[in-house]
């Protein structure tokens, strides 16, 4: 029997990085982060239900580790999502994408490796 997945509802955004803002260095956040600006560094979600949203104006040059991510901008680095990756039509990812669930719109582009994680494998990796 196939497992049914609930419709995805992103976390509330506690942090917004606006258009025209450049952050140099790693960022750790909890719950939700919305990016319209640019980050040169790694982005790490702390907690079990972290969501990163990158708008069509947003760009990250670094690795990302979150529960869920919605990309409509540019990522130059690896994405590790413990649950869900959603790539909207303007998404450009240059790096490895690890996910449990994937939704990809026509027009989205990945230049790298895509690895589907099983939920059991992800749980083991999180406990190590």
């Amino acid at each position: 029997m196939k497992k049914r997945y609930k419709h995805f509802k992103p976390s509330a955004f506690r942090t917004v990085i606006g258009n025209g803002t450049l952050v140099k260095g790693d960022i750790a956040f909890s719950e939700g982060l919305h990016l319209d600006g640019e980050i040169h560094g790694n982005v790490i979600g702390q907690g079990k239900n972290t969501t990163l949203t990158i708008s069509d104006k947003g760009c990250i040059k670094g690795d990302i580790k979150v529960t869920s991510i919605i990309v409509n901008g540019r990522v130059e680095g690896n994405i590790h999502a413990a649950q869900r990756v959603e790539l909207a039509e303007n998404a450009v990812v240059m790096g490895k994408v690890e996910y449990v669930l994937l939704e990809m719109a026509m027009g989205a582009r990945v230049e790298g490796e895509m690895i589907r994680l099983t939920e059991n494998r992800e749980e083991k990796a999180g406990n190590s």
Side-chain angles (χ1 to χ4, degrees):
M1 180 178 232
K2 266 190 163 180
K3 185 174 181 179
R4 301 195 106 221
Y5 293 98
K6 295 178 184 176
H7 182 70
F8 177 65
K9 183 178 178 190
S11 304
F13 298 115
R14 290 200 174 261
T15 307
V16 175
I17 298 175
N19 190 17
T21 303
L22 170 61
V23 177
K24 291 184 178 182
D26 296 347
I27 291 183
F29 71 96
S30 61
E31 294 187 30
L33 169 64
H34 178 82
L35 177 66
D36 287 325
E38 192 168 340
I39 298 172
H40 293 184
N42 299 324
V43 179
I44 301 162
Q46 296 180 320
K48 289 190 174 195
N49 293 313
T50 57
T51 301
L52 172 62
T53 301
I54 305 170
S55 77
D56 59 340
K57 300 174 193 106
C59 176
I60 294 178
K61 294 181 180 182
D63 293 338
I64 300 167
K65 186 171 184 176
V66 293
T67 306
S68 300
I69 184 169
I70 301 169
V71 181
N72 198 25
R74 184 175 185 89
V75 175
E76 295 178 19
N78 299 321
I79 297 173
H80 175 88
Q83 286 299 313
R84 182 183 180 93
V85 173
E86 182 177 325
L87 302 174
E89 62 186 14
N90 295 315
V92 175
V93 178
M94 301 176 78
K96 180 171 54 173
V97 179
E98 296 177 322
Y99 62 92
V100 173
L101 298 172
L102 174 69
E103 183 175 333
M104 189 169 179
M106 188 179 302
R109 192 171 84 206
V110 175
E111 295 181 19
E113 188 177 8
M114 296 184 76
I115 301 169
R116 184 179 182 281
L117 304 171
T118 64
E119 291 181 62
N120 292 337
R121 181 172 146 197
E122 178 57 34
E123 288 171 8
K124 288 177 187 172
N127 292 331
S128 299

